[in-house]
Amino acid sequence: MVTRRCGGGVPVTAGAGGAVRFDLPEADDFTRPYWDAAAEGRLLLRRCRAEGCGAAHHYPREFCPYCWSEDVGWERATGRATLYTWSVVHRNDLPPFGGRVPYIAAVVDLAEGPRMMTEITDCAESELRIGMPLVVHFRAVGAASTASAASAVGAASTANTASGGVARGEAGGGARGGTAGGVPGGGGAVVAVPVFRPA
C-alpha cells in the first residue's frame, strides 16, 4: 500500500506492513525522468534553451526561473559539486530519519551552477570544509529493503562509472539500505535519492 504525498511534510505509508516514512519524494509525470535516471545512477538537471539564457537550475521546474522561458529540457549533470554549507542533525523524530542520526544535511554547489540540498555521507564531520570537492552517489530507499535490490543500484551505478559517469551505488542494511528499480507511486514505493561524498 502506498499513501501519496499531498505536499511537504506529509508522510508516505509504504509496503504491506504500512510503515509510515517521510523520506520518499513524490514522483509525477513531470519528475519521472529525474527519478528514473537516479535509479540508473545518473543525476539530471533542467537547462533553459532560450536564446541569451541557457541557465541550469535545480530543483526541476517546467520553466526557467531566470528568464521564465518554457523552453527547458533535461540534461545529465557531471555529478560533481562543492560543499556550500552543512549542519549535523542529531535528532529527527520523523521516520525513518531517527535511525540515521547523526547525519549531515548539506547544501552543495553543483559544477553546472545550481545549488542543491542533499546529505553528505562517508565523511566525518571534522573533515568537512566549505568548498571541498564532492561526488554524487545514490541511496536506494523504499518499502522493500533487500540486499539483492540494493545490489542492483550498485550494479547500475558501477556500469555508469565504467562508461564515464561518476556515480557509485550504496548498498547497506538497516535504515540506509534499500531497493532499486522504481519511483514513488509505483508498486514498491522505491526510489534512488542523490547524496554526496568526498570526491
Side-chain angles (χ1 to χ4, degrees):
M1 173 180 155
V2 177
T3 303
R4 304 283 300 231
R5 273 180 203 245
C6 296
V10 177
V12 171
T13 304
V20 175
R21 55 191 307 151
F22 289 78
D23 64 337
L24 294 175
E26 176 74 22
D28 55 25
D29 288 342
F30 170 66
T31 60
R32 194 159 304 279
Y34 178 86
W35 297 114
D36 287 347
E40 297 170 358
R42 296 179 293 120
L43 178 64
L44 296 185
L45 300 174
R46 299 280 285 173
R47 186 174 294 277
C48 182
R49 298 176 184 151
E51 187 175 340
C53 184
H57 67 269
H58 187 80
Y59 62 93
R61 281 159 275 189
E62 296 185 52
F63 60 91
C64 174
Y66 301 100
C67 74
W68 304 103
S69 170
E70 293 181 4
D71 186 10
V72 180
W74 293 104
E75 171 184 291
R76 183 175 178 173
T78 63
R80 301 215 173 262
T82 56
L83 184 58
Y84 176 74
T85 191
W86 75 90
S87 179
V88 179
V89 179
H90 292 277
R91 180 172 178 166
N92 187 336
D93 295 330
L94 299 176
F97 296 105
R100 295 180 186 164
V101 294
Y103 62 88
I104 302 166
V107 178
V108 301
D109 288 327
L110 299 174
E112 293 79 8
R115 194 163 277 169
M116 177 179 179
M117 294 182 67
T118 187
E119 181 182 343
I120 305 298
T121 66
D122 306 319
C123 185
E125 177 188 2
S126 61
E127 297 174 10
L128 296 171
R129 300 287 181 268
I130 291 173
M132 72 184 293
L134 303 167
V135 64
V136 74
H137 64 117
F138 295 84
R139 171 186 294 131
V141 295
S145 295
T146 64
S148 61
S151 296
V153 170
S157 295
T158 300
N160 176 56
T161 302
S163 64
V166 295
R168 291 182 284 177
E170 178 182 73
R176 292 185 185 271
T179 63
V183 292
V190 178
V191 65
V193 177
V195 293
F196 286 77
R197 60 165 57 115

